[in-house]
Amino acid sequence: MQRLSVPLIGNILTLSLATVAMTLTSAYSATAGTLGLNFTKLQGLTGGSSGTTGVYRADLSNLGFDIISIDISDINGTAGAPGQFSGFDFDAIKISNVLVDNATDAKNLSGLNVFDFTSSGTFFTPGTQRSPADPGELFGVTGGIVDNSLATLQNFDGNSIANETASGFVSLGDGGKIVFNLKNPIPTSSPLYLYIGEAGDNGETVSGQITVSDKPREVPEPTSLAAVSLLGIYFAVSRRKKTKAA
Ligand SMILES: [Ca+2]
Ligand SMILES: [Ca+2]
Ligand SMILES: [Ca+2]
């Protein structure tokens, strides 16, 4: 094999990570690539007191490589409430070896212990608030990072009414993105399924992508911290009385 220069290898890997289609690039022993996810909507709804979380499943079985991270991005739709509730309202994410077909069964799955929902393992790039914008951050976000005491991403428990009773999810904002760097690479040699929930089940959708590799992914720069420093000050979230679903 011809020996590649280090800068060239870096360029190849950058291109590989940027593409949605499955691409595999070998550089010495490192192999990395990305794969777009196809989501299937499950039957029924689940969630917290409002019981209006829709659940989507993606099949991760038999990919041939370990999964090291998962990216979920809002697709800039127009459905749902504006302001702090703009975009996909992310209720929960689970990975399991168990295949289920309805939302309630997904809620009851214990799931694999692979997520770190602190800022060490969960990276958030906020999308924009649709007009009229709220003075604070997106719902479920504090100081530029996902506040998991509000979002509870381990549980499908969202109450999606867009007022002061909202709880159990994080709104990504239009075009927002959340990246989960897994605690450990997950082998895909056995049946493996990803489940995510959308609080409100009101037409807000995402695109998803996983990164597979035989080496751990580099920790990305916490771009959200830069956004926070630009904001300078965090305004307390003002919750207006609305009844529209988030
Ligand atoms: Ca929303
Ligand atoms: Ca939740
Ligand atoms: Ca929603």
Side-chain angles (χ1 to χ4, degrees):
M1 169 177 168
Q2 186 178 352
R3 184 176 175 83
L4 300 174
S5 69
V6 170
L8 178 56
I9 293 169
N11 289 338
I12 291 172
L13 288 174
T14 300
L15 286 170
S16 173
L17 290 170
T19 182
V20 173
M22 182 67 174
T23 59
L24 295 175
T25 303
S26 292
Y28 304 112
S29 63
T31 304
T34 58
L35 176 64
L37 296 173
N38 291 316
F39 289 112
T40 300
K41 190 174 184 192
L42 303 193
Q43 299 164 6
L45 298 172
T46 185
S49 56
S50 68
T52 51
T53 291
V55 179
Y56 297 82
R57 182 187 68 213
D59 189 352
L60 307 178
S61 308
N62 301 314
L63 299 177
F65 291 88
D66 293 353
I67 298 172
I68 56 175
S69 69
I70 299 169
D71 297 18
I72 303 290
S73 301
D74 177 81
I75 60 156
N76 259 319
T78 57
Q84 65 177 325
F85 298 109
S86 299
F88 187 86
D89 306 298
F90 205 135
D91 186 338
I93 182 167
K94 288 182 183 180
I95 290 179
S96 174
N97 300 118
V98 178
L99 176 67
V100 297
D101 291 321
N102 71 72
T104 301
D105 287 347
K107 177 186 173 88
N108 292 331
L109 285 174
S110 56
L112 301 177
N113 179 23
V114 294
F115 292 104
D116 172 3
F117 293 122
T118 73
S119 59
S120 297
T122 298
F123 304 92
F124 182 59
T125 304
T128 56
Q129 289 195 27
R130 224 171 297 150
S131 180
D134 287 307
E137 296 177 275
L138 290 160
F139 185 80
V141 180
T142 301
I145 62 176
V146 173
D147 184 344
N148 206 45
S149 68
L150 291 171
T152 57
L153 292 176
Q154 70 278 14
N155 291 326
F156 290 93
D157 60 356
N159 178 17
S160 60
I161 307 302
N163 61 18
E164 66 280 356
T165 67
S167 64
F169 62 91
V170 55
S171 296
L172 299 187
D174 286 348
K177 179 177 181 177
I178 192 164
V179 177
F180 302 98
N181 272 4
L182 304 181
K183 288 180 179 177
N184 305 107
I186 313 175
T188 59
S189 52
S190 55
L192 195 66
Y193 304 95
L194 173 69
Y195 299 90
I196 61 172
E198 203 287 310
D201 186 45
N202 51 349
E204 297 175 287
T205 53
V206 286
S207 61
Q209 185 174 308
I210 57 172
T211 300
V212 294
S213 179
D214 61 357
K215 294 209 168 178
R217 177 172 171 171
E218 279 187 28
V219 175
E221 284 292 315
T223 52
S224 57
L225 293 179
V228 171
S229 66
L230 288 174
L231 279 172
I233 189 166
Y234 167 62
F235 295 93
V237 173
S238 166
R239 294 177 184 170
R240 290 172 292 145
K241 294 202 182 300
K242 290 175 282 190
T243 55
K244 188 176 180 183

